[in-house]
Structure formats: structure tokens, C-alpha cells
Amino acid sequence: MPDLRIMVQKYGGTSVGSAERIKAVAERIKTYVKNGFSVVVVVSAMGKTTDELVSLASQITAQPSSREMDMLLSTGEQVSIALLAMALHEIGIDAISYTGSQIKVLTDGNFTRAKIESISTDRIMKSLRENKVVIVAGFQGIDNEENITTLGRGGSDTSAVALAAVLRTRDCEIYTDVNGVYTADPRIIGQPIKLSQVSYDEMLELARLGAAVLHSRSVEFAKKHNIRLHVRSSFNYEEGTIVMPKEEMMEKYVISGVTAKRDEAKITIRDIPDRPGIAARVFGLLGENKIYVNMIVQSTGKDNKASVSFTVLKSDLDRAVKLCEGLKKELGASAVEAKQNIAIVSAVGVGMLSSYGVAGKIFQVLSEQNINIEMISTSEIGISCVIDDVYAELAQKVIHRAFIDMEQQ
Ligand code: ASP
Ligand code: MG
């Protein structure tokens, strides 16, 4: 396809949230067409449409069939693709909309969280060659029996990146309602910095640790296919943030993001025997009961006894505590304790791979505020501390100040 300069763009729900917004998006697309691009546009459902559809279903049943859920949720995107095509026609731009099934976005059969397996480029290429803007419904596909599937909430990002991959474009624009990826949540840190570049791994780590800007699978896909994602606002023409391979980055911070996750709770099982099989028993049982466990810290004490602390989603806490209470006797544990009010505050950055003393400095700034660290875990490019939830904002501020504000001076 060397003859066409293809640009894949994705517009999120807020960007197409009203008729006015859809017209504004059409104008933006027009500038790309005038500049010689063959534009492929992926759109989300308008505004909060998907949430409203979820809520409608819940008014009918507490346990909707997942096939029917996908049938329902996929309708949101069908509305926005048609309206955007009309808005383009209205300003003299030829355009055609397609559902996932029309361009054969084939997925596995896991309703509500399907994975894309292939996309046919035939129909898209034919329309592009006819000088049409191609508008594709994000978030949806079909399985091999032509059932409609969806890719999980926020999945339009992944639709866009998958299209960029099959159309072999290096760049993909993701339009949203913020100017890019910031070093922290602006509601907490007054003036975080907008990153001009960030690596795939940092984006995945930021999402895992509570700062979800993009659908994680879209970032994995982009990494695998070496696609640069330009995350930017559809409300202005400023440059946003490029999500890219770390080897190509010109700008690297030691820490490029500070996050807090406040949806988890901590459980501690005290004085369990320090011998093989105990952890397997506890976490095996939690796993069998589909309880997602995040951080795990074991500490050994006296007399061959150990304590183990771990975090689970707050929504699973009661169930998890009951299961652990049930094991107390079998394990000979002295207590099962639960704490709801925790926050997991993390710092993420590829620069950590090549700097010393990052963990020490984080612990230092927390201790200066008398913040007690209850658990610590690290990954290659992330350090996370469990602290009392009352300090969640303060902790993010002091870490941000120590690493990011300081580096800027
Ligand atoms: N409309 C879907 C959602 O709200 C998909 C998306 O926006 O990416 O989750
Ligand atoms: Mg969205």
C-alpha cells in the first residue's frame, strides 16, 4: 500500500459526545484529507452511552447473558460512526462507515473481553482508493460464528491500534479530552508535567498501578507492532504525548509518573508455620474462588512462624477474609486482620533501570512526612508502597516534588 499515506485516528467518547463535537471532529478530519492523507477513523460511543446501556441491562437482570450484553453495547458505536459519516458528507468530504462485522474484525468467542485475531483490509482499502474517509466502529468484532463480540471497556483504542497494524502505518493518533499523558493526576498534583514521550512499558506499568489513559491491550499491541501512539486532545491542536519504544526516546525521566490505587484492601495472616505448602494453600484457595491478589509480602518471625500480608480488591475483601478465617485453624494462624483504608502509591520510570538510590529517596521523603510504609513491592520500572489511605495525596505530592519538580529546575 505504498501509494497511500494512511493515517489512523481514534476519537473517544467525549470527543464525539454531542452533535457539535462530531462536527468539530469532522472539521479536523477534513484538514488531514486536504493535506493528502487517506484517513481511517475509529470512534467510540458518544459520551456516556456505553455506561447507560450497561445500566439499562442491569434494570432488566442482574445476570445478563454475555452474548446479549455484547449485542447491546456494540450499538453505541454504530450510532457515532453513522453520525460522523453524515457530518463529513455535510462539509463535502466523502466518507463511509463500517461496523466491525463489515470489515471482518475477527475475534475469539470470549464475549465482553474478546481478543482480535484478524482484520480484513480489502473493503477498507477499496474505500480509501475511492478517496473516502473510512469510519470504523471501535470496540467490536465478530467471532467465527458471526456473533457480535466486544473487546472490554475502553477497547476502541485497541481497535485503532489493530487497524494501524494491519494497514502497516507507523503512527496512530488517539484523540481524547486531555492533552496527553501527565506525570500525575492533575486533581492531586496542581501542575503535573505533560510528557512529550513515554515508553510502552511505562504506559503499561502506569495502567497497572492505577493511571489508565489507554486500554492496556492497545499498548501491548502497539509495542508488538512498533506503532507510535500519539495521545492528544481533540479540543485543541497542541502536540500530545507519543507512546513509543524506549530506545527511540529523546527525553527520559528517572520517574515519569506517580500514581495511587485506592481500590484495594490489605489482609494479614499472623503466625503461620514457615514451611513448604502454606502459601500454596492460602493463595490456591483464593485463586479457586476467583479472588485477584495483587501485592504479597511475607515476613518471617520467631519460632518458625511467618506472617503474610497481601492486597485484594476492596470488593472481594469480605469473601477473602472469610476464606482466610476458614483456614485459620488448619494453618494454626493466630489472627486474620483486614484493613480497608490503604492506598498503593507508586512511582514509575524507565530511568530507574539506570539510576541508584531511587527507592531510598522515595522512602526518605515519605518518612519525612511520618508516613509509615506497610508493604513494599518493586518491578523493573516501578516501586509501590502500601500506606494508610489518609496519606495517599500527600505521598504522591512529596514523591512528585522530589523527583519531577526538582528535575525540572
Ligand atoms: N464505548 C466503549 C466503552 O465505553 C469502548 C470505548 O470507549 O473505547 O468502554
Ligand atoms: Mg472510552
Side-chain angles (χ1 to χ4, degrees):
M1 303 153 209
D3 52 328
L4 298 180
R5 271 168 74 208
I6 300 177
M7 173 60 80
V8 178
Q9 302 183 326
K10 179 255 169 176
Y11 293 90
T14 322
S15 297
V16 293
S18 64
E20 284 315 310
R21 289 298 315 152
I22 291 175
K23 289 181 193 171
V25 164
E27 290 294 345
R28 183 183 294 264
I29 293 168
K30 183 175 179 176
T31 64
Y32 281 81
V33 172
K34 294 292 171 209
N35 283 319
F37 283 101
S38 299
V39 187
V40 176
V41 188
V42 174
V43 280
S44 293
M46 291 173 70
K48 301 251 167 277
T49 303
T50 313
D51 290 332
E52 285 158 19
L53 292 169
V54 169
S55 139
L56 259 180
S58 74
Q59 293 168 42
I60 304 271
T61 165
Q63 268 152 350
S65 130
S66 53
R67 180 188 184 279
E68 302 313 327
M69 203 62 192
D70 279 358
M71 182 67 92
L72 175 69
L73 297 193
S74 67
T75 61
E77 273 71 12
Q78 198 166 329
V79 171
S80 42
I81 56 172
L83 292 174
L84 181 57
M86 292 174 198
L88 282 161
H89 297 162
E90 195 64 18
I91 54 172
I93 301 290
D94 205 359
I96 184 164
S97 65
Y98 291 121
T99 62
S101 85
Q102 287 175 317
I103 54 158
K104 302 196 170 55
V105 178
L106 291 184
T107 71
D108 62 24
N110 289 313
F111 295 116
T112 74
R113 54 191 159 85
K115 288 205 168 96
I116 297 179
E117 287 171 349
S118 65
I119 301 180
S120 160
T121 55
D122 298 350
R123 210 158 165 185
I124 299 174
M125 288 309 296
K126 184 165 177 289
S127 296
L128 290 178
R129 290 225 157 81
E130 291 163 2
N131 291 322
K132 292 188 169 99
V133 170
V134 171
I135 306 167
V136 176
F139 173 60
Q140 55 177 258
I142 45 167
D143 69 7
N144 59 13
E145 285 167 0
E146 295 193 0
N147 295 300
I148 293 179
T149 54
T150 67
L151 311 179
R153 296 303 307 273
S156 299
D157 295 338
T158 300
S159 308
V161 179
L163 276 166
V166 296
L167 294 167
R168 297 184 203 292
T169 67
R170 176 87 208 272
D171 297 285
C172 176
E173 292 187 323
I174 308 279
Y175 285 96
T176 171
D177 52 0
V178 290
N179 285 346
V181 180
Y182 284 82
T183 51
D185 184 340
R187 284 165 301 185
I188 289 166
I189 308 296
Q191 305 228 281
I193 292 159
K194 187 182 80 192
L195 299 165
S196 59
Q197 304 180 330
V198 67
S199 68
Y200 301 122
D201 294 333
E202 286 166 305
M203 279 305 281
L204 290 169
E205 192 69 350
L206 287 168
R208 186 177 73 83
L209 297 171
V213 181
L214 295 172
H215 197 230
S216 283
R217 207 176 303 139
S218 73
V219 181
E220 287 163 9
F221 229 96
K223 179 178 176 183
K224 184 164 163 210
H225 296 278
N226 199 24
I227 293 165
R228 287 180 298 229
L229 303 179
H230 188 174
V231 180
R232 59 193 306 190
S233 170
S234 68
F235 292 78
N236 58 51
Y237 280 83
E238 280 170 38
E239 293 281 312
T241 303
I242 315 275
V243 187
M244 61 194 295
K246 62 172 172 292
E247 297 73 25
E248 292 175 25
M249 280 166 61
M250 308 287 285
E251 168 196 272
K252 276 183 205 156
Y253 293 109
V254 175
I255 282 180
S256 51
V258 181
T259 65
K261 242 176 113 56
R262 303 173 85 164
D263 59 346
E264 295 188 19
K266 182 177 87 164
I267 296 179
T268 303
I269 311 180
R270 294 212 182 276
D271 301 315
I272 45 183
D274 190 10
R275 62 173 155 76
I278 299 289
R281 180 77 180 105
V282 174
F283 296 105
L285 182 71
L286 293 169
E288 277 163 31
N289 285 278
K290 295 199 162 55
I291 290 175
Y292 162 82
V293 176
N294 183 10
M295 283 167 82
I296 303 176
V297 171
Q298 176 174 288
S299 51
T300 40
K302 295 188 304 238
D303 308 326
N304 267 333
K305 298 273 188 185
S307 288
V308 60
S309 294
F310 54 93
T311 63
V312 297
L313 290 172
K314 280 189 176 137
S315 52
D316 285 337
L317 181 64
D318 290 347
R319 272 195 322 129
V321 167
K322 273 206 193 86
L323 290 165
C324 294
E325 287 283 356
L327 284 180
K328 207 166 130 186
K329 218 160 157 202
E330 176 188 330
L331 301 177
S334 67
V336 174
E337 293 161 10
K339 182 172 177 189
Q340 279 263 11
N341 301 329
I342 59 156
I344 304 176
V345 172
S346 310
V348 172
V350 273
M352 275 184 208
L353 291 167
S354 53
S355 352
Y356 301 97
V358 178
K361 191 164 160 191
I362 291 176
F363 304 153
Q364 174 66 31
V365 296
L366 294 180
S367 79
E368 283 165 6
Q369 304 296 327
N370 256 321
I371 299 174
N372 185 39
I373 303 171
E374 301 178 24
M375 292 166 82
I376 299 168
S377 84
T378 60
S379 70
E380 227 183 8
I381 58 165
I383 296 175
S384 303
C385 300
V386 171
I387 59 171
D388 195 290
D389 188 65
V390 270
Y391 299 118
E393 299 192 353
L394 178 61
Q396 290 176 81
K397 281 190 185 130
V398 293
I399 296 171
H400 197 272
R401 192 182 306 145
F403 287 91
I404 297 166
D405 300 339
M406 292 300 187
E407 260 193 59
Q408 286 295 298
Q409 284 164 9

